[in-house]
Amino acid sequence: MPMAAVHHWIVVLDIESFSARSDPLQRSLRAAMYDVLHAAVEQAGIPGGALSTEDRGDGVLILFQAQVPPVQLAGALVRALDDCLREKAAVFSEAHAMRFRVALHQGLVSRDARGWSGDAVNTAFRLVDAAPLRDVLSAAGRARLAFIASDEVYRAVIRHDHRTVDPAAYLPVTFEAKHGVEITGWVTVPGYPSPPGLAPGAGAPGTGTPRSGTYAAGAPGAPSPAGGGPAAPAERQGRPNVVFHIGEVHGDPVAGDKHVHHHSGGPVRP
């Protein structure tokens, strides 16, 4: 019988270009992914009993209990993931290179015998799979991860300029996800002052300075990766262009409805 829905902080991490690797490399990358995750959680000071994980093959769904401070997730955990990936990069070959896309969201989730489900889980996966996030990581050649927070998390946590989180390093993106739903997220890349290849205009989040730009990834006139970064991962090839927007988020940042409303794509697989 499913448990009642309970609020969690939801983190999803995904290995870049996982499906383009050979089977032996995929097995090795999965083991390394869990090494990095466990080490980062410990380094960030998060008790092991405060989270649950669900394997997703090329990534992990992590549910943090509501009492875990979200600043600790957006700050210490993201920094620890980046540090642990740097340690792995020092010993891994180029063929074994491992970089993460990481998403943070929040909401009600429920659990049954097969795993976790809920609209908030679906949104977290759409954030980590967003074309703008993939393109930013592709453009950031020296980065080890790209991080996206949902608009809800940005407005409630990141924008308040807590000591371990720099809101000025984030830029907003709005993209069209499944069922034509528009989702807004805020992207940052550790080690970069702003996400490379993303901002055609100037201005820091929250200043009211507009950023313009509406384009399809890979379309003529779209911003090219900074410094002529690597091409999009093989797993992106053949996908239809996804239109996304760069700009300030409009509406009331405190009282406005910032929830994404869409239908679930089905239960989380075991």
Side-chain angles (χ1 to χ4, degrees):
M1 181 176 179
M3 295 172 54
V6 178
H7 182 276
H8 283 76
W9 301 103
I10 305 165
V11 172
V12 180
L13 64 83
D14 195 88
I15 300 174
E16 181 190 46
S17 301
F18 182 82
S19 61
R21 319 296 179 94
S22 67
D23 286 350
L25 274 179
Q26 288 185 13
R27 289 194 296 270
S28 181
L29 284 168
R30 279 173 47 79
M33 172 183 69
Y34 278 103
D35 287 345
V36 166
L37 175 59
H38 294 153
V41 166
E42 182 177 0
Q43 183 175 316
I46 301 171
L51 62 97
S52 300
T53 62
E54 183 174 301
D55 185 75
R56 306 298 295 216
D58 59 351
V60 189
L61 168 66
I62 311 115
L63 284 300
F64 292 88
Q65 294 175 6
Q67 67 266 28
V68 175
V71 173
Q72 196 172 9
L73 301 178
L77 180 62
V78 171
R79 184 169 60 250
L81 286 169
D82 188 54
D83 289 343
C84 293
L85 283 170
R86 184 181 67 248
E87 292 173 358
K88 290 291 186 185
V91 296
F92 282 173
S93 67
E94 184 176 347
H96 199 286
M98 182 171 64
R99 305 202 301 170
F100 288 167
R101 299 189 310 277
V102 183
L104 172 61
H105 187 42
Q106 60 82 32
L108 296 177
V109 297
S110 58
R111 187 176 190 176
D112 58 23
R114 294 177 176 83
W116 296 89
S117 64
D119 189 65
V121 172
N122 297 337
T123 298
F125 275 99
R126 288 166 187 170
L127 285 165
V128 86
D129 195 45
L133 186 66
R134 291 175 178 269
D135 292 341
V136 164
L137 186 55
S138 181
R142 58 184 171 82
R144 292 167 289 273
L145 68 84
F147 173 64
I148 185 169
S150 66
D151 190 50
E152 295 94 317
V153 170
Y154 180 86
R155 296 294 183 181
V157 180
I158 294 169
R159 76 180 179 95
H160 294 284
D161 201 15
H162 294 278
R163 184 165 58 89
T164 58
V165 180
D166 180 14
Y170 287 76
L171 288 177
V173 294
T174 299
F175 61 95
E176 187 173 304
K178 194 174 181 180
H179 306 307
V181 174
E182 280 197 347
I183 299 177
T184 294
W186 293 75
V187 179
T188 190
V189 179
Y192 286 77
S194 64
L198 191 60
T207 63
T209 305
R211 295 184 187 86
S212 60
T214 302
Y215 56 92
S224 58
E235 61 193 24
R236 289 253 352 255
Q237 295 176 6
R239 291 176 54 184
N241 286 338
V242 179
V243 175
F244 58 95
H245 315 275
I246 299 173
E248 290 297 334
V249 176
H250 299 284
D252 181 63
V254 176
D257 180 6
K258 295 175 285 296
H259 294 281
V260 178
H261 302 286
H262 56 84
H263 297 291
S264 168
V268 175
R269 70 173 183 267

